[in-house]
Amino acid sequence: MRKLVYYIGVSLDGRIAGPADEFDFFPQGDEEQAAAYAAWMNALYPDTVPTAYRAAVGVADMPNRCFDTVVMGRGTYRLSLDHGITNPYAHLRQYVVSSTLEPGTDPAVTVVPSDPLAFVRELKGEVGAGLDVWLCGGGRLAGSVLPEIDELLIKTYPVVAGTGISLFDGAFAPTVFDVAERTAFPNGVTLTRLTRR
């Protein structure tokens, strides 16, 4: 069975975006640090680079390494729609969990109107499936599918947001993960991979 992996950036106080969905407050370091960090992350996880930017960062022809499917909430998908992009990850199978988004926004994007927990269980259990499933965001969706998250890839940025969208938004349900590895970058970002205990 393949894994559901929540790969996301977060502030020190657990915010994946600000109150208006902004994420440009995450510090990247100076120009050299930012370039080195981006190159390392893009080489390791080329699948997570939006299709529109893949050529610019040199991963246009890279095969998917970790994921062949992405699941996101409506708020995450809306960030692409606001820029006129209806098919943000053309190199992946794309699913948007939303009870309000009209199906047919783009033929390459499937709208999942209800029961995201059952849906990700189905994705994980697909026979003959190749790579893992990337949970792209947001916090409410992550909270609803927490029982099926196998791995966390958390990029922690050295900033406190104060308010905004939480990494997880859901009922009180303590769930223990073990730290499998941690990498610190000169720009202050820490990537931590955690696996479900």
mmCIF file of all heavy atoms in Angstrom, residues 9 20 70 73 78 92 126 135 159 188:
data_model
loop_
_atom_site.group_PDB
_atom_site.id
_atom_site.type_symbol
_atom_site.label_atom_id
_atom_site.label_comp_id
_atom_site.label_asym_id
_atom_site.label_seq_id
_atom_site.Cartn_x
_atom_site.Cartn_y
_atom_site.Cartn_z
ATOM 1 N N GLY A 9 5.125 23.653 4.025
ATOM 2 C CA GLY A 9 5.926 24.620 4.763
ATOM 3 C C GLY A 9 5.114 25.187 5.915
ATOM 4 O O GLY A 9 3.891 25.347 5.808
ATOM 5 N N ALA A 20 -4.995 35.628 5.114
ATOM 6 C CA ALA A 20 -5.518 35.853 3.752
ATOM 7 C C ALA A 20 -4.852 34.905 2.759
ATOM 8 O O ALA A 20 -4.703 35.234 1.587
ATOM 9 C CB ALA A 20 -5.319 37.308 3.338
ATOM 10 N N VAL A 70 -1.693 14.115 -6.358
ATOM 11 C CA VAL A 70 -1.770 15.199 -5.377
ATOM 12 C C VAL A 70 -3.220 15.397 -4.965
ATOM 13 O O VAL A 70 -4.128 15.327 -5.793
ATOM 14 C CB VAL A 70 -1.162 16.512 -5.918
ATOM 15 C CG1 VAL A 70 -1.881 17.009 -7.164
ATOM 16 C CG2 VAL A 70 -1.133 17.599 -4.842
ATOM 17 N N GLY A 73 -7.007 20.863 -0.794
ATOM 18 C CA GLY A 73 -8.284 21.475 -0.474
ATOM 19 C C GLY A 73 -8.598 22.598 -1.445
ATOM 20 O O GLY A 73 -7.757 23.026 -2.233
ATOM 21 N N ARG A 78 -7.463 27.239 -4.995
ATOM 22 C CA ARG A 78 -7.849 28.605 -5.341
ATOM 23 C C ARG A 78 -6.636 29.499 -5.605
ATOM 24 O O ARG A 78 -6.689 30.428 -6.418
ATOM 25 C CB ARG A 78 -8.721 29.216 -4.241
ATOM 26 C CG ARG A 78 -9.371 30.531 -4.675
ATOM 27 C CD ARG A 78 -10.154 31.204 -3.571
ATOM 28 N NE ARG A 78 -9.240 31.728 -2.571
ATOM 29 C CZ ARG A 78 -9.216 31.352 -1.300
ATOM 30 N NH1 ARG A 78 -10.048 30.446 -0.848
ATOM 31 N NH2 ARG A 78 -8.361 31.874 -0.461
ATOM 32 N N LEU A 92 0.959 15.300 -12.436
ATOM 33 C CA LEU A 92 0.397 14.429 -11.401
ATOM 34 C C LEU A 92 -1.103 14.251 -11.639
ATOM 35 O O LEU A 92 -1.738 15.064 -12.293
ATOM 36 C CB LEU A 92 0.578 15.065 -10.011
ATOM 37 C CG LEU A 92 1.996 15.377 -9.543
ATOM 38 C CD1 LEU A 92 1.958 16.166 -8.243
ATOM 39 C CD2 LEU A 92 2.806 14.110 -9.371
ATOM 40 N N GLU A 126 -5.019 1.595 -4.042
ATOM 41 C CA GLU A 126 -5.074 1.270 -5.464
ATOM 42 C C GLU A 126 -4.067 0.187 -5.826
ATOM 43 O O GLU A 126 -2.879 0.309 -5.524
ATOM 44 C CB GLU A 126 -4.802 2.516 -6.312
ATOM 45 C CG GLU A 126 -5.922 3.511 -6.299
ATOM 46 C CD GLU A 126 -5.616 4.775 -7.085
ATOM 47 O OE1 GLU A 126 -4.419 5.131 -7.203
ATOM 48 O OE2 GLU A 126 -6.560 5.400 -7.568
ATOM 49 N N LEU A 135 -0.286 14.998 -0.032
ATOM 50 C CA LEU A 135 -1.284 15.892 0.536
ATOM 51 C C LEU A 135 -0.662 17.273 0.539
ATOM 52 O O LEU A 135 0.284 17.549 1.271
ATOM 53 C CB LEU A 135 -1.657 15.443 1.951
ATOM 54 C CG LEU A 135 -2.625 16.352 2.708
ATOM 55 C CD1 LEU A 135 -3.945 16.502 1.959
ATOM 56 C CD2 LEU A 135 -2.846 15.831 4.119
ATOM 57 N N VAL A 159 10.131 31.918 11.387
ATOM 58 C CA VAL A 159 9.266 33.095 11.476
ATOM 59 C C VAL A 159 8.027 32.723 12.287
ATOM 60 O O VAL A 159 7.566 31.579 12.232
ATOM 61 C CB VAL A 159 8.861 33.591 10.063
ATOM 62 C CG1 VAL A 159 8.070 32.543 9.297
ATOM 63 C CG2 VAL A 159 8.105 34.907 10.127
ATOM 64 N N GLY A 188 18.127 28.999 7.525
ATOM 65 C CA GLY A 188 17.338 28.856 8.740
ATOM 66 C C GLY A 188 16.176 27.887 8.641
ATOM 67 O O GLY A 188 15.509 27.605 9.632
#
